[in-house]
Amino acid sequence: LKTPVVLFGINDHQNKLGQYFVKQAKTGIYLGNIRKGDLKEFYAKIITVMQDWRLRERFSRNACKIIDGRAPERIYNAITKLL
């Protein structure tokens, strides 16, 4: 739940969604198109996040705002209401 998101895409659709998600959720980084990008650049971005405690903490706080960890409970309740 509190792990920063590291996204990359392999096609235009995924690239657009990845960029949008990271911009809106602010829970991680978007690396770009893994097929077209520079692996050294991807690695450098990941290392930056790993070494920046404040950035990871901010990602974590933002994730907790949108993910509460109670999805299994809600799914169970929804299913039992149908039975």
Side-chain angles (χ1 to χ4, degrees):
L1 174 64
K2 294 185 176 187
T3 303
V5 174
V6 177
L7 293 173
F8 60 87
I10 58 172
N11 61 43
D12 290 340
H13 176 71
Q14 292 175 346
N15 293 329
K16 290 176 186 175
L17 287 176
Q19 290 170 350
Y20 180 80
F21 179 81
V22 168
K23 184 177 179 181
Q24 295 300 313
K26 298 178 177 70
T27 59
I29 60 171
Y30 177 72
L31 297 178
N33 188 320
I34 198 79
R35 292 182 177 167
K36 297 178 182 176
D38 178 0
L39 292 180
K40 289 180 182 180
E41 185 179 321
F42 296 154
Y43 178 77
K45 288 179 181 178
I46 293 169
I47 294 299
T48 297
V49 172
M50 289 173 55
Q51 294 176 341
D52 190 335
W53 182 86
R54 286 188 176 124
L55 180 61
R56 293 192 321 273
E57 180 66 22
R58 186 173 64 218
F59 288 159
S60 176
R61 282 192 313 272
N62 290 338
C64 288
K65 291 177 187 175
I66 61 173
I67 301 169
D68 64 7
R70 295 181 51 223
E73 178 185 338
R74 286 193 295 277
I75 293 168
Y76 173 82
N77 289 338
I79 292 172
T80 56
K81 286 180 184 178
L82 295 173
L83 300 176

